[in-house]
Amino acid sequence: MLTRRRLLFLPVACVALVLSGVLTLSAQSAETVDLGAIQRIKEEGFDRSKVMDTTWWLTDMYGPRLTNSPQMRAAADWAVKTLNEWGLANVKQEPWGADFGRGWSNERTVLHVVKPEPWPVIAYAKAWTPGTSGPVTADAVLAVMTTDVDLDKFKGKLKGKVVLLQAPREVKLLWDAPATRFSAQQLDDMMAQPMPGAGRGGFNPGAQRAFQAKRNAFLLAEGVAAVLEPGSGMGDSGSVLVAAGGSRDAKDPPVPSQLAVSTEHYNRIARLLEHNVPVTLDVDVRSSFQDKDLGMFNIVAEIPGSDKADEIVMIGAHFDSWQSGTGATDNAAGSAVMMEVMRILKQSGLRMRRTVRLGLWTGEEQGLLGSRAYVKSHFGDPETMQTKPEHAKLAGYFNMDNGTGAYRGVYLQGNEAVAPIFKQWAAAFTNLGMTHLTIRNTGGTDHLSYNAVGLAGFQFIQDDMQYGTRTHHTNMDVYDQIVAADMMKNAVITAAFVYQTANREQQLPRKAMPKPAPRPGTAQ
Ligand SMILES: [Zn+2]
């Protein structure tokens, strides 16, 4: 996912529909809940699960999966081979654009203090930044530069140095347990109206980006050896948050070699420098750009339907990740669960009236690029609201991209009409912890691409686990963070929702078509 989602609720009229735990057949629009099918889905998903095996391949074996990196392409080839082996139809890598940009991969990162005392430093290369010019031994300089005046101050002083760009930053102790599940109270609280204006404000990314570009040009002109920054505030205690430091477009200005460093290690170096103790480092970063194929694809697979085969139920998750861990919770988890849903539905042999289609998206971390392009070419253009014939055929879309945590309910995305339907479907899963529907939105990921053109797209409410505290976009986003029982539950519940959507007489209700929007899906 792009940003932390739980902070992203829109202030819409919020009504949480707490499920009674009892299937109420007297509801006005009684849904046929096929408990026999759910039984078969549970057997396949619990007794013969492959979801952790799939997760292993996507993480330990082929992770990380930075979009257009060699690892991502290898993972995508494995996914296609596997989906074919599972007997799915129309499995393919469907190109979505020729201009995603360069691939990038890191082959080696060594950062080691040699003076005053030798010790190894935890550090990761920022994506799309170059390596150093071979192994370098260099002195460190603390050069905090946030304004043009700062640039003048350090002019001519940084040649061949390893530059620390920030002052030591306070590390917060982990007083609260980093791993959490929603309490019943927290789920109930989702009824509360979020206060307007309570979100983040005052941040001007445009201005910040412009200064960063200027500072990068300055650092390059100075001839620095490498640039270090603390690995942000995601947990600390060894957890390092790393994203991109350079551009995917080879025509953009070059940037220096940049490393995100474990905050505690960064602070030790910075404090030595503040005490006027010289620090010398060995630094050796090798990274490469792949310029041969600048285009990207999504992975698509289907289970053909029967009498309504021309209509579609879609499920999806983004397949790409950031680079310092193996992209386990973000988002091998979602990809493995959605692949598992396809396997369960195919293997169970259940008859489905509509075609079920899987989309594993790339370029999500760079702005939902793969899913947006897919929606635009298949369903409609959010900038004009011109729709394609397939727009009328999509019965619903389900997405997963909030880590490994168990489903606790569904974000209805303001879709009032779907509430009584999901309430009855979810009632079959209260014994798995699926208890709450909330009218609220959740943002930051690929279901927004569907909502942007008026389609019925949803995400489930998931327990946070350590997603918001330790793993999201960090070096600790690895296989060990994945909780098998939660993954199995999520696959079973998604499969049941897909089965119900595929077989009900009508498509899922949609909200009114949105107005044309110049850059849809990002407003949240
Ligand atoms: Zn993400």
Side-chain angles (χ1 to χ4, degrees):
M1 91 186 203
L2 282 164
T3 48
R4 294 186 61 183
R5 288 198 187 92
R6 281 207 281 147
L7 301 172
L8 297 173
F9 302 139
L10 273 194
V12 291
C14 293
V15 191
L17 304 152
V18 181
L19 302 172
S20 64
V22 178
L23 186 59
T24 319
L25 293 172
S26 60
Q28 323 89 314
S29 59
E31 288 287 305
T32 310
V33 179
D34 186 340
L35 295 174
I38 288 173
Q39 179 63 40
R40 280 162 74 179
I41 287 169
K42 281 186 172 177
E43 282 168 8
E44 192 60 40
F46 291 147
D47 301 344
R48 294 180 287 280
S49 175
K50 289 203 170 188
V51 74
M52 291 305 286
D53 183 55
T54 302
T55 304
W56 180 83
W57 283 97
L58 296 180
T59 55
D60 284 347
M61 187 62 203
Y62 292 121
R65 301 169 312 284
L66 188 74
T67 298
N68 203 10
S69 66
Q71 297 95 325
M72 192 231 87
R73 286 177 177 271
D77 289 346
W78 175 85
V80 164
K81 178 171 85 70
T82 302
L83 293 164
N84 272 318
E85 283 169 5
W86 290 349
L88 300 178
N90 305 321
V91 182
K92 61 186 170 188
Q93 294 175 350
E94 182 175 316
W96 56 256
D99 58 355
F100 169 78
R102 302 184 286 180
W104 178 91
S105 57
N106 175 256
E107 285 80 45
R108 180 178 171 83
T109 300
V110 173
L111 187 65
H112 205 287
V113 172
V114 289
K115 277 184 206 160
E117 285 296 324
W119 51 281
V121 181
I122 301 173
Y124 297 87
K126 293 193 181 182
W128 288 288
T129 63
T132 52
S133 40
V136 180
T137 301
D139 292 334
V141 176
L142 183 60
V144 180
M145 293 180 282
T146 55
T147 65
D148 290 355
V149 177
D150 297 330
L151 301 186
D152 289 343
K153 202 164 83 187
F154 288 100
K155 202 165 169 40
K157 295 176 183 164
L158 302 179
K159 188 171 174 52
K161 307 291 190 197
V162 173
V163 174
L164 281 77
L165 269 186
Q166 296 181 34
R169 189 175 59 66
E170 185 192 359
V171 169
K172 294 220 164 51
L173 301 185
L174 301 172
W175 292 111
D176 300 320
T180 53
R181 290 190 186 276
F182 283 118
S183 66
Q185 184 64 50
Q186 285 172 317
L187 289 167
D188 288 348
D189 286 348
M190 286 192 181
M191 282 189 282
Q193 173 84 46
M195 291 304 291
R200 292 162 295 179
F203 175 63
N204 182 347
Q208 199 193 42
R209 236 174 273 134
F211 180 75
Q212 276 172 357
K214 193 170 180 180
R215 188 172 61 189
N216 279 332
F218 170 78
L219 290 163
L220 268 185
E222 284 284 308
V224 302
V227 175
L228 311 185
E229 288 184 89
S232 161
M234 180 66 75
D236 291 327
S237 297
S239 175
V240 184
L241 188 146
V242 196
S247 173
R248 316 190 296 275
D249 187 342
K251 293 190 289 295
D252 281 343
V255 297
S257 185
Q258 297 167 55
L259 299 170
V261 180
S262 158
T263 305
E264 296 86 344
H265 287 185
Y266 180 94
N267 285 353
R268 182 177 175 191
I269 300 170
R271 280 191 299 266
L272 285 163
L273 295 170
E274 283 183 338
H275 285 76
N276 295 315
V277 179
V279 177
T280 306
L281 294 137
D282 280 343
V283 52
D284 184 11
V285 181
R286 274 185 238 154
S287 297
S288 46
F289 293 90
Q290 293 87 36
D291 291 302
K292 217 170 76 192
D293 188 349
L294 306 181
M296 248 303 112
F297 53 79
N298 298 309
I299 301 160
V300 180
E302 288 185 343
I303 302 172
S306 53
D307 62 310
K308 285 179 182 281
D310 63 325
E311 294 189 24
I312 326 150
V313 185
M314 281 200 77
I315 57 173
H318 77 86
F319 192 74
D320 62 308
S321 75
W322 285 109
Q323 76 278 17
S324 63
T326 53
T329 63
D330 188 14
N331 187 24
S335 297
V337 162
M338 291 308 182
M339 285 178 70
E340 176 73 357
V341 169
M342 298 300 276
R343 193 195 65 79
I344 290 170
L345 291 171
K346 175 73 187 175
Q347 201 60 34
S348 66
L350 290 164
R351 180 179 178 272
M352 291 183 291
R353 302 180 67 190
R354 295 185 175 85
T355 295
V356 177
R357 186 186 297 163
L358 168 72
L360 297 174
W361 317 118
T362 58
E364 191 269 355
E365 299 293 2
Q366 287 73 42
L368 320 184
L369 301 178
S371 63
R372 274 197 191 149
Y374 185 88
V375 164
K376 189 171 171 181
S377 75
H378 283 265
F379 301 117
D381 183 350
E383 294 188 35
T384 59
M385 286 301 155
Q386 296 284 317
T387 60
K388 310 250 171 161
E390 255 188 301
H391 190 274
K393 303 286 186 185
L394 188 87
Y397 173 74
F398 300 97
N399 193 76
M400 177 172 154
D401 182 21
N402 276 3
T404 187
Y407 288 172
R408 307 303 301 276
V410 190
Y411 293 102
L412 299 178
Q413 302 291 136
N415 187 332
E416 299 280 358
V418 87
I421 300 165
F422 284 177
K423 182 177 176 180
Q424 291 170 74
W425 295 358
F429 296 102
T430 51
N431 59 2
L432 293 181
M434 174 90 167
T435 52
H436 283 64
L437 304 183
T438 172
I439 196 72
R440 295 181 185 197
N441 293 347
T442 186
T445 190
D446 297 298
H447 64 298
L448 296 181
S449 302
Y450 287 76
N451 294 337
V453 293
L455 296 168
F458 303 97
Q459 276 230 125
F460 295 87
I461 301 168
Q462 287 182 256
D463 282 330
D464 190 78
M465 317 304 270
Q466 303 198 123
Y467 194 64
T469 53
R470 302 288 295 163
T471 68
H472 182 224
H473 296 186
T474 77
N475 59 331
M476 291 297 156
D477 191 6
V478 293
Y479 179 89
D480 309 76
Q481 297 284 342
I482 302 296
V483 178
D486 291 44
M487 296 282 281
M488 286 191 263
K489 285 182 198 176
N490 294 357
V492 162
I493 293 168
T494 310
F497 270 58
V498 169
Y499 173 81
Q500 293 287 149
T501 308
N503 285 342
R504 79 192 292 273
E505 197 51 43
Q506 303 294 324
Q507 299 178 357
L508 291 178
R510 299 174 181 178
K511 293 192 290 181
M513 282 292 276
K515 290 195 173 60
R519 285 214 68 208
T522 52
Q524 305 184 38

